[in-house]
Amino acid sequence: MNYQVVSFNYKKCDLEGREKISFRSDDSIREYLKLLTSFDFIVEAFVINTCNRIEIIAATRDNFSTYHTILGILSKMTSANFSWLEEVVLNLEDKDAIEHIFSVVSSLDSLVIGEAQITGQVKDAFKFSYDNGTAGKELNRVISYAVKCAAEVRNATNISQNPISIASVAVAQAQVNMNGSLSGMTG
């Protein structure tokens, strides 16, 4: 079995670009995954769709064909230019794909390292795909080990000592910018 991650994340694809290709509903994710897994060479697939990343994770028989299919269908569904997608994508295969998944789930590949939400977001994304029949035992094994790795990272390091999120970092910076006081401010 081969593994592939096609990633549009904050490192290479700006927010405007990610918004252009993000999935707007569960129905659009379901449709995309059903199209992907209708190809014989894509055994399983799921999508992580957050504000900081859109990642398509696949268990494949042919990474070359899978990569082009992932981009082709995404281009068609979002009207994003295929060439532009190739410019802003990070394509990872096999060992590199697995390492990337472990880094993402452990929040080591997050805009704010150690943010706690990503592990749950990945688990939810996998469960959605599993429940819809587009992910199964191949990707379940990867995600299960990645979640165990994330727990080990949290336990063996100080990464979770002070739980943080992008929102908490933004509030802290706003407090600095406002000379230490946010009193009277509303959202």
Side-chain angles (χ1 to χ4, degrees):
M1 186 62 46
N2 298 312
Y3 295 96
Q4 184 148 31
V5 174
V6 175
S7 176
F8 301 91
N9 64 45
Y10 67 94
K11 293 178 182 177
K12 200 167 176 187
C13 183
D14 65 17
L15 179 60
E16 184 179 337
R18 292 190 311 273
E19 286 176 348
K20 181 177 184 177
I21 60 173
S22 70
F23 295 91
R24 305 283 186 229
S25 67
D26 286 350
D27 287 339
S28 62
I29 294 172
R30 187 178 298 109
E31 176 187 358
Y32 181 71
L33 291 170
K34 291 289 184 187
L35 286 168
L36 286 180
T37 57
S38 70
F39 290 86
D40 290 342
F41 48 85
I42 301 177
V43 179
E44 299 176 15
F46 77 98
V47 171
I48 301 167
N49 186 56
T50 72
C51 59
N52 287 318
R53 63 181 70 247
I54 295 119
E55 304 211 4
I56 300 91
I57 294 97
T60 82
R61 291 188 182 93
D62 177 352
N63 283 342
F64 179 83
S65 298
T66 298
Y67 170 75
H68 289 89
T69 302
I70 286 171
L71 293 188
I73 295 173
L74 188 60
S75 174
K76 184 174 175 120
M77 285 183 73
T78 63
S79 301
N81 181 285
F82 189 92
S83 296
W84 174 78
L85 289 172
E86 286 189 305
E87 291 173 15
V88 297
V89 72
L90 176 63
N91 180 40
L92 300 155
E93 298 180 358
D94 300 323
K95 180 180 177 273
D96 293 334
I98 300 299
E99 287 177 5
H100 178 77
I101 293 166
F102 276 48
S103 291
V104 168
V105 175
S106 298
S107 79
L108 298 174
D109 187 63
S110 295
L111 185 58
V112 176
I113 303 240
E115 61 93 5
Q117 293 177 317
I118 191 65
T119 304
Q121 291 169 328
V122 173
K123 287 168 56 176
D124 290 346
F126 174 79
K127 184 179 182 330
F128 176 84
S129 298
Y130 183 85
D131 290 347
N132 282 282
T134 64
K137 67 178 185 168
E138 293 296 333
L139 292 176
N140 183 49
R141 183 176 5 186
V142 173
I143 296 305
S144 294
Y145 282 114
V147 169
K148 287 177 186 174
C149 175
E152 186 65 29
V153 166
R154 283 190 303 277
N155 291 332
T157 67
N158 292 332
I159 200 168
S160 63
Q161 192 170 10
N162 296 313
I164 56 173
S165 66
I166 292 170
S168 67
V169 171
V171 169
Q173 186 60 49
Q175 195 168 12
V176 168
N177 291 347
M178 299 300 292
N179 297 321
S181 175
L182 293 178
S183 64
M185 302 300 250
T186 61

